[in-house]
Amino acid sequence: MSPTKNNWLCYLATLGVGIGILIALVYCAGFDRFREIAARTSFSWMIVSVVFYAAAWFLRTWRLRLFANRGGTVVKTLDLFKLYIAGFALNSILPARLGDLVTAGFLKAKGMDWGRSAAIVVQSRILDAFGLVLLALPALVALLRERVPPWILMALFLGSAAVLVPVGLAALDTRNAGAALLERLGGRARGECLKRVLAAVRLAYDRYREILSDRRLLLTSTALSLLIVLCEGLTCGAIAVAVGVHTSLMAAFAAVSIATFGKAAPSTPGGVGIYEGVMAGVLVLFGADFDGALVVAILDHGTRKVFNLLWGLPVAIRMGLNLSQIREAAGQAGSRKDDVEQVVVECENCHEG
C-alpha cells in the first residue's frame, strides 16, 4: 500500500474516532434531551453569532493585509480573504494541518518570498494564541477561588509556550545568532533537500525577526488579534443565548480559548469531538448543564467549520487548487519528510479562475 494511501486511511480512522467521541458525548447527554434543546434554538441569535464570526474574519484579513503590505507586496483585500479562508478550510479536510502550508504557498504565489510568507503565517498563529491566552485569564482568576482542573492549566501552559518561546528566542537574539547557526548547519548538511530546507528556515527566521522589529506593526497586529478573539468569544456567547444556556461572557471566552488550545494538538481532523468535549467541560465548570453546554459546543464548532468550508473550499477550487495533487504531495511529505516544498509548489501554480 502506498504511503499516500496509508496517510489517508489514518486520517479517515482519526476522523471516525472524532465522530465516535461526538456520538458518545450526545449519548451521555441523552439523544432525546439533545434533540429537544437543539429544536428550541433561536434562529435569530444564530444569525447574530454568524455576524460576530464574520467580523472576526474581517479583522483577520485586515491583520494579514498589514503583514503583506510591510513586505512591499500589494494584494487586494478580497484576494487576501480568499486565500486565507481557503487555508483554514483545507486545515479541516487535509491531514497534519497542511492548510497553513497552503496559505503560505498562496502568499508566495502573490509575489512574496517563501521566508516572508512562512513568517506571516507563523506570526498570525502566535498572535491568535496570545489573544486566546488573554481571553482566558479573567476566567482563570475567577476559578482560582476553587481548584483549577489540571487540563485547563495544561492548555493555558501550552498556549503560553506557543507565544513566549518563539517570540522570546527571536527577540533575545540581538546578534542574529540563530540565522548564523542555521547557515552553518546548512553548510555542513548532507543532501541537497536538507540544505534547501535549512535555507528556507533561515530565510523565514530572518523575516520573522523583521516583523518583530517593527513596533508599530507589532502593536497594531496585536490589537487586531485581541479584537479577533473577542469576536470569536462573542460568537460562542450568542450561541449560548440562542440555545438558552445561562452563562457569562467570561465563561464563553474561557470555553473558546481552552477548546481551541485543546484541539491544537495532533488529534482528530479539525479537532472534531475534542473541541466539543473541552468546550462543554469548561461551560459546565461555570455552572451550565452538560446537555445544554454540549449543544452550544457543537453549534459553535459547526458554525465555524461550515462558515470556513462554505467560503474557503469553493475559493480554493476556483483559485486552481488541485486537491488530488495536494493529497499526493501531503502523502510524500509525510513519508519522506524532505519534500514539504512540493505542497508549496502546487500552491504556487494556483491562479484565480
Side-chain angles (χ1 to χ4, degrees), residues 156-225:
L156 289 175
F157 171 77
L158 293 176
S160 301
V163 176
L164 296 176
V165 172
V167 174
L169 289 176
L172 294 175
D173 187 11
T174 56
R175 297 183 179 181
N176 205 12
L181 174 61
L182 289 169
E183 187 173 2
R184 287 197 301 271
L185 291 174
R188 299 174 182 176
R190 297 180 179 179
E192 191 61 30
C193 289
L194 181 56
K195 288 184 178 181
R196 289 204 308 269
V197 169
L198 289 172
V201 173
R202 181 187 181 282
L203 181 59
Y205 182 76
D206 285 337
R207 296 292 186 259
Y208 183 70
R209 293 183 73 251
E210 287 179 13
I211 291 176
L212 293 183
S213 66
D214 190 333
R215 293 185 179 180
R216 182 177 179 180
L217 175 63
L218 194 59
L219 289 174
T220 306
S221 59
T222 300
L224 287 173
S225 300

Side-chain angles (χ1 to χ4, degrees), residues 16-31 272-273 294 298:
V17 170
I19 294 174
I21 293 174
L22 272 182
I23 294 174
L25 289 171
V26 175
Y27 175 79
C28 292
F31 290 105
V272 174
L294 181 60
I298 291 176

Side-chain angles (χ1 to χ4, degrees), residues 59-73 80 120 214 216-222 224:
L59 295 167
R60 188 175 279 116
T61 305
W62 184 3
R63 184 183 65 186
L64 181 61
R65 185 181 179 184
L66 290 178
F67 286 134
N69 288 346
R70 189 196 183 282
T73 303
L80 287 174
I120 288 174
D214 190 333
R216 182 177 179 180
L217 175 63
L218 194 59
L219 289 174
T220 306
S221 59
T222 300
L224 287 173

Side-chain angles (χ1 to χ4, degrees), residues 1-13 95 324 327-332 334-335:
M1 187 176 293
S2 67
T4 302
K5 188 173 292 186
N6 276 331
N7 285 345
W8 280 91
L9 285 176
C10 181
Y11 172 80
L12 292 175
S324 63
R327 285 196 297 267
E328 181 181 356
Q332 293 174 347
S335 61

Side-chain angles (χ1 to χ4, degrees), residues 14 24 27 43 92 104 111 145-146 158 175 180 183-184 192 195 198 229 239 259 263 310 317 326 333:
T14 54
Y27 175 79
F43 179 76
S92 299
R145 301 171 186 173
E146 304 175 5
L158 293 176
R175 297 183 179 181
E183 187 173 2
R184 287 197 301 271
E192 191 61 30
K195 288 184 178 181
L198 289 172
V229 296
I239 291 174
K263 73 171 185 177
L310 284 180
I317 295 172
I326 290 295

Side-chain angles (χ1 to χ4, degrees), residues 5 9 19 25 35 45 95 121 134 142 164 174 177 194 204 225 230 257 304 323 339 341:
K5 188 173 292 186
L9 285 176
I19 294 174
L25 289 171
R35 284 195 298 268
W45 273 103
V121 172
L134 289 186
L164 296 176
T174 56
L194 181 56
S225 300
L230 179 65
S257 178
R304 299 166 193 269
L323 292 181
D339 212 10
E341 290 183 2

